[in-house]
Amino acid sequence: MSKTIWDRFAPIYSLAMKSQKNIYDYMYQHIGEAVAGKNVLELATGPGMIAKHIADKATFVTATDFSPDMIAQAKKGKVPENLTFEIADASNLQYEAKAFDVVIIANALHVVPNPEKVLSEIDRVLVNDGLLICPTFIHRSAEKKENLWAKLLKALGVNFAHQWTAEEFKTFIESNGWKITASEVVPGRIDLMYAECVRKL
């Protein structure tokens, strides 16, 4: 998906996600607990909603997006001192190996064409016993992949490159070398599967 689409959505993204308030409240709570005292990298931060909510729990947060306009939006308003926003491509990160205790990628793996490459980069920059948090929008059944909300997003140019069900997403994560240690499906206009993962031994 091109930067142009996300640059176009940058000014209204936070407003659009208000319809998914229960999902974001769930993520703020659970991610906040998971990153306590950790050095954190967030990929696909968008306008920085998650990063700003969880920064006070973490030691330091580096929040990134490949859309310059999203990062410009994220930098607006109050930004905690331990939070920095940077432009970065999740499939080709500029960070050193083993640099972060936790990597967050929320609501993004399903829209990138090469999620395997993104997971490989996460594996590279995460410490050996690090935590991957990858909440992802899913579909309720294999027979009905797109609900009305997903069709609306598609009409606006936001395509789901991967239309996983919960079980299909679990299989994808596990087939790429990760073990899911905590997960829950959170209902919404488009359901979210919250997942915390560690590397398989």
Side-chain angles (χ1 to χ4, degrees), residues 132-152:
L132 164 62
I133 304 175
C134 53
T136 301
F137 287 132
I138 58 167
H139 297 272
R140 295 183 182 182
S141 71
E143 292 73 29
K144 192 174 182 180
K145 288 290 188 179
E146 291 184 346
N147 65 14
L148 183 61
W149 189 245
K151 289 178 180 178
L152 174 61

Side-chain angles (χ1 to χ4, degrees), residues 2-72:
S2 72
K3 293 184 179 68
T4 304
I5 292 171
W6 294 113
D7 286 343
R8 186 192 312 152
F9 276 100
I12 62 169
Y13 187 92
S14 296
L15 180 62
M17 289 301 104
K18 284 187 176 180
S19 65
Q20 299 276 54
K21 183 179 184 301
N22 69 307
I23 281 176
Y24 275 83
D25 286 345
Y26 181 96
M27 289 194 291
Y28 296 153
Q29 177 185 343
H30 286 78
I31 294 174
E33 293 170 357
V35 303
K38 304 293 186 181
N39 188 17
V40 179
L41 172 67
E42 186 187 12
L43 307 176
T45 191
M49 296 162 63
I50 292 174
K52 289 178 179 178
H53 273 85
I54 60 94
D56 65 330
K57 308 293 194 306
T59 299
F60 195 86
V61 179
T62 303
T64 69
D65 202 283
F66 82 151
S67 163
D69 284 7
M70 283 291 193
I71 291 299

Side-chain angles (χ1 to χ4, degrees), residues 90-170:
S91 64
N92 187 24
L93 295 170
Q94 62 263 38
Y95 306 109
E96 294 182 359
K98 315 301 182 190
F100 299 96
D101 303 311
V102 180
V103 176
I104 304 163
I105 180 164
N107 307 338
L109 285 174
H110 63 288
V111 297
V112 298
N114 55 346
E116 296 87 356
K117 174 61 175 169
V118 172
L119 289 178
S120 176
E121 277 294 272
I122 291 171
D123 178 65
R124 184 181 65 79
V125 302
L126 197 60
V127 297
N128 290 335
D129 59 348
L131 181 68
L132 164 62
I133 304 175
C134 53
T136 301
F137 287 132
I138 58 167
H139 297 272
R140 295 183 182 182
S141 71
E143 292 73 29
K144 192 174 182 180
K145 288 290 188 179
E146 291 184 346
N147 65 14
L148 183 61
W149 189 245
K151 289 178 180 178
L152 174 61
L153 289 174
K154 186 175 182 179
L156 294 172
V158 180
N159 292 308
F160 283 31
H162 309 280
Q163 298 184 31
W164 293 304
T165 64
E167 286 304 315
E168 288 167 347
F169 182 62
K170 285 181 181 179

